[in-house]
């Protein structure tokens, strides 16, 4: 499938860049999208200027403030960011309906056959970048290749405001020099295991057998084995569904294990129910997350026989899961996540079957 033309577009520090655009005095300064650093919370994202201080997503806001005390902290405005994201996705759809959203600021686009019959995917990427800048005054980085994996690698090659093409002629050379942490799916644990074996680059990875990779990374090992050889047959899926949905609450002060933890979970469940109803989503699997004061985390999951949506149904699952938890330390954060989602028209079809 090397005749495909796939783009991966990734907006540059999207949330932070929007805030810098709205407040020109912040341009060129460290901006951190997070809650008040004097309270609990984590970093959502940050500007490139803040990243030079070692700030990264999910870092506690207090830690970020210690590392970069002169940064401007701004509470996320997700609804505002969504309106700008919609404008950007409208640009993508000027060329094709084969647009697979990965998040508000990231998408795959299959331009093999496009509405303007433009032969060059690089030219389309240039046009998209230009239109994004003209309509939003923001920059994007683009990757162009013959599959999704390589297009994503390419978009990360020259950030910000970059454009890189990986071709059938140069793909192996470009993969071989990549640090292994650039490959999707290689996290801290597997990264340490690879480093201990003297494996640091794509070329090093390619010298391992598939069995070796599976031993370290389990199922993901077979995917990595294909990816480092430039193989990825996944289609761009415009109907890609959200795999999980969740809500969290970070406490202003750690709560003790003797506190009524159930009432706090019920508060989160109310918010989650509202989100599910608004998005017309039903769920089958409920996952609870508990983060202790020392940042250690426990998770438990329960899968229902039928799809659910209401707060009471969610709390039924929570009660089952809480009985399995030994709460031994003060708690910093709790969350409820869901998976096995049923959305939109698919939900209506399922309900009609139940009603028979």
């Amino acid at each position: 499938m090397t005749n495909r033309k796939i783009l991966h577009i990734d907006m540059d520090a999207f949330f932070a860049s929007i805030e810098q655009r709205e407040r020109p005095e912040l341009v060129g300064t460290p901006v951190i999208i997070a809650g008040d650093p004097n309270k609990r919370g984590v970093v959502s994202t940050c500007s490139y200027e803040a990243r030079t201080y070692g700030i990264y997503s999910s870092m506690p806001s207090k830690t970020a403030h210690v590392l970069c005390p002169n940064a401007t902290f701004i509470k996320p405005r997700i609804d505002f960011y969504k309106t700008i994201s919609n404008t950007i996705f409208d640009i993508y759809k000027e060329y094709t309906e084969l647009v697979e959203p990965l998040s508000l600021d990231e998408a795959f686009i299959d331009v093999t056959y496009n509405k303007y019959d433009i032969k060059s995917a690089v030219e389309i990427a240039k046009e998209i970048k230009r239109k994004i800048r003209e309509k939003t005054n923001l920059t994007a980085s683009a990757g162009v290749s013959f599959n999704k994996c390589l297009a994503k690698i390419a978009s990360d090659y020259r950030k910000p405001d970059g454009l890189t093409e990986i071709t059938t002629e140069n793909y192996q050379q470009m993969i071989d020099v990549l640090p292994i942490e650039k490959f999707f799916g290689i996290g801290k644990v597997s990264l340490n295991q690879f480093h201990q074996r003297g494996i640091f680059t794509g070329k090093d990875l390619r010298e391992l057998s598939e069995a070796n990779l599976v031993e370290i990374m389990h199922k993901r090992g077979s995917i990595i084995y294909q990816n480092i050889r430039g193989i990825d047959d996944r289609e761009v899926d415009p109907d890609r569904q959200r795999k999980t949905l969740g809500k969290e609450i970070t406490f202003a002060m750690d709560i003790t294990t003797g506190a009524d933890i159930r009432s706090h979970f019920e508060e989160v469940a109310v918010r989650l129910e509202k989100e599910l109803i608004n998005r017309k989503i039903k769920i089958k699997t409920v996952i609870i997350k508990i983060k202790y004061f020392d940042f250690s985390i426990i998770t438990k999951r329960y899968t229902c026989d039928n799809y659910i949506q209401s707060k009471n149904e969610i709390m039924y699952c929570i009660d089952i899961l809480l009985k399995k938890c030994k709460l031994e330390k003060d708690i910093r954060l709790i969350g409820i996540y869901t998976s096995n989602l049923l959305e939109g028209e698919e939900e209506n079809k399922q309900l009609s079957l139940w009603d028979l």
Side-chain angles (χ1 to χ4, degrees), residues 123-140:
E123 288 305 312
I124 294 176
K126 288 179 180 178
E127 286 191 13
I128 287 175
K129 282 168 53 66
R130 175 179 56 78
K131 289 179 179 180
I132 289 173
R133 186 187 288 273
E134 289 175 352
K135 292 189 177 183
T136 69
N137 199 26
L138 300 170
T139 64

Side-chain angles (χ1 to χ4, degrees), residues 55-70:
I55 313 299
Y56 56 85
S57 297
S58 78
M59 173 182 282
S61 300
K62 285 186 177 180
T63 304
H65 187 256
V66 171
L67 291 174
C68 189
N70 61 327

Side-chain angles (χ1 to χ4, degrees), residues 226-239:
Q226 299 288 317
N227 289 168
I228 58 179
R229 288 163 173 78
I231 301 170
D232 180 7
D233 293 334
R234 293 174 300 155
E235 301 284 349
V236 171
D237 181 9
D239 299 318

Side-chain angles (χ1 to χ4, degrees), residues 276-300:
L276 293 171
I277 291 172
N278 288 343
R279 293 179 175 271
K280 299 180 180 179
I281 295 173
K282 291 200 171 188
I283 62 172
K284 242 186 178 182
T285 300
V286 174
I287 306 155
I288 62 170
K289 171 183 174 182
I290 299 173
K291 181 184 288 187
Y292 291 122
F293 76 96
D294 58 3
F295 289 89
S296 59
I297 296 173
I298 61 170
T299 60
K300 301 287 183 183

Side-chain angles (χ1 to χ4, degrees), residues 14 20 26 41 49 57 98 128 174 197 229 240 244 266 279 302:
F14 187 47
Q20 288 177 319
L26 296 180
E49 294 84 1
S57 297
L98 293 179
I128 287 175
M174 297 187 76
R197 298 184 182 207
R229 288 163 173 78
R240 180 178 184 267
T244 62
E266 191 165 16
R279 293 179 175 271
Y302 179 81

Side-chain angles (χ1 to χ4, degrees), residues 4-10 88-102 106-115 121 124-125 128-129 132 140-148 151-152 235-238:
R4 292 190 298 165
K5 300 172 185 177
I6 310 297
L7 310 183
H8 179 260
I9 307 292
D10 191 7
I88 293 166
F89 273 78
D90 286 344
I91 294 172
Y92 303 155
K93 291 181 179 180
E94 291 179 19
Y95 295 88
T96 177
E97 296 301 317
L98 293 179
V99 177
E100 179 179 336
L102 303 178
E106 185 180 4
F108 286 116
I109 311 168
D110 188 335
V111 295
T112 309
Y113 305 101
N114 57 83
K115 296 177 182 179
I124 294 176
I128 287 175
K129 282 168 53 66
I132 289 173
S141 293
V144 181
S145 195
F146 53 88
N147 64 41
K148 292 166 74 172
K152 185 170 176 62
E235 301 284 349
V236 171
D237 181 9

